[in-house]
Amino acid sequence: MRTRLFQDPVDAAAVLRDGGLCAIPTETVYGLAARADEASAVARVFEAKGRPSDNPLIVHLGDAAEADVIAHVTEVGRALLDAFAPGPLTVVLPARLGLPPAVTAGLDTVAIRVPAAPLALAVLGKTGPLVAPSANRSGRPSPTTWEAVIDDLDGRIGAVLQGPPTDVGIESTVVDATGDTPLILRPGAVTLDALRALVPNARAVDPGAEAARRSPGTRHRHYAPRARVRLVHSVDQAEPAPEAAWIGVSEPPPGYAQVTACADAADYARRLFDAFRRADAAGLGRIDAEVVPEVGIGVALLDRLRRAAAG
């Protein structure tokens, strides 16, 4: 099978309505989209990615009003959707009957979000709800460009909708809104402080907690390049070498094969996965990744860095 490249969301929507797979750009990362209501299409997502079957999928909607069709929207869930949709926030809610079991990994909850990227919304407006996990082979760094999708999935999926590099660069914040207390299951660009400004009792849970099972991206190896990721706390710990890359908010000493010096934590998050992939493409053996303060989007950035280093 040859993966086709499209620039028109009409073409991407046609592939998806027919039950095919098409990668689409969202504001977080590129997602591998398929019809959420068709079990065979959902199964092909797992096959193309090599994704573990106990890893639930996020259902993407074109409008928050569609949430009532697939979920029992709680009072907290409604407040979160009203405040943050469209945007990089996924809300976990009690699921209604009717979705293929693979979408929820057999759980009684469903994760939903409304992406903010215009191309994603244009597709969703012509297809209805879509599952759209990151469009990469399972365990690899998520793709932030259409070229990265092709690197991982060329010949394994029907099409890619070509768009610009993603704005956020890391996956959405996932919040459990099944009860009265919003629980961050996976950190992202919507921070705990932003949630608490709306719902003061919001809190984060440990990634190993039982509740985290309701979120994708918490139970399996994720975000890791082939190169070894070494976390460094300052440029004093830098170890320049011809087989190493650097990424961080500081300028390292000379001697690295690749250097990604970022303006701030948000820029770091935006460029992280692309830097991982460039290091792999160059055959480098090590990536020195500078640690940032664990505030704001730095919480999500450090989550991805720690997982990559563990991988």
Side-chain angles (χ1 to χ4, degrees):
M1 177 180 66
R2 182 179 180 184
T3 297
R4 292 172 289 174
L5 300 178
F6 294 138
Q7 295 182 331
D8 191 334
V10 172
D11 296 324
V15 169
L16 292 163
R17 285 197 304 270
D18 288 342
L21 306 185
C22 181
I24 62 174
T26 79
E27 76 277 21
T28 56
V29 299
Y30 272 69
L32 180 55
R35 285 177 52 170
D37 63 346
E38 187 171 305
S40 59
V42 173
R44 283 193 286 274
V45 170
F46 283 88
E47 181 182 3
K49 284 176 59 67
R51 184 183 179 92
S53 61
D54 62 348
N55 201 357
L57 301 174
I58 297 172
V59 178
H60 291 59
L61 308 174
D63 190 287
E66 300 173 21
D68 293 285
V69 177
I70 62 172
H72 297 281
V73 183
T74 61
E75 183 177 346
V76 168
R78 184 76 63 195
L80 294 176
L81 290 170
D82 287 347
F84 296 107
L89 180 76
T90 293
V91 180
V92 175
L93 296 165
R96 293 186 184 274
L97 298 176
L99 287 172
V103 173
T104 63
L107 301 172
D108 60 0
T109 54
V110 61
I112 62 173
R113 95 172 180 99
V114 183
L119 282 175
L121 290 173
V123 172
L124 285 159
K126 300 178 185 302
T127 61
L130 300 170
V131 296
S134 56
N136 56 290
R137 297 295 293 269
S138 186
R140 293 275 293 139
S142 297
T144 56
T145 65
W146 66 263
E147 293 93 339
V149 178
I150 290 296
D151 284 345
D152 270 13
L153 298 178
D154 190 19
R156 301 178 67 87
I157 63 176
V160 176
L161 178 60
Q162 295 173 294
T166 61
D167 292 329
V168 177
I170 56 175
E171 302 80 1
S172 61
T173 305
V174 180
V175 177
D176 185 331
T178 56
D180 296 330
T181 301
L183 303 174
I184 294 181
L185 307 182
R186 181 180 72 184
V190 177
T191 65
L192 179 59
D193 286 343
L195 292 170
R196 283 180 170 167
L198 179 71
V199 187
N201 66 339
R203 62 184 178 88
V205 303
D206 185 275
E210 181 66 18
R213 294 181 61 245
R214 296 176 171 179
S215 170
T218 58
R219 299 188 66 199
H220 299 278
R221 179 182 182 272
H222 277 77
Y223 320 124
R226 286 184 286 273
R228 178 173 67 90
V229 176
R230 173 177 169 264
L231 302 185
V232 299
H233 292 270
S234 72
V235 291
D236 294 336
Q237 295 179 322
E239 296 181 2
E243 72 282 355
W246 167 275
I247 183 168
V249 294
S250 304
E251 189 72 39
Y256 282 99
Q258 291 181 359
V259 171
T260 305
C262 307
D264 51 28
D267 186 43
Y268 192 165
R270 187 179 306 114
R271 302 170 70 182
L272 176 66
F273 291 144
D274 182 64
F276 282 178
R277 286 178 172 271
R278 287 190 294 107
D280 280 351
L284 302 183
R286 189 182 85 234
I287 301 169
D288 285 355
E290 185 180 15
V291 170
V292 299
E294 203 161 358
V295 295
I297 199 170
V299 175
L301 177 56
L302 283 175
D303 171 75
R304 304 317 192 265
L305 288 174
R306 287 168 180 151
R307 291 177 184 276

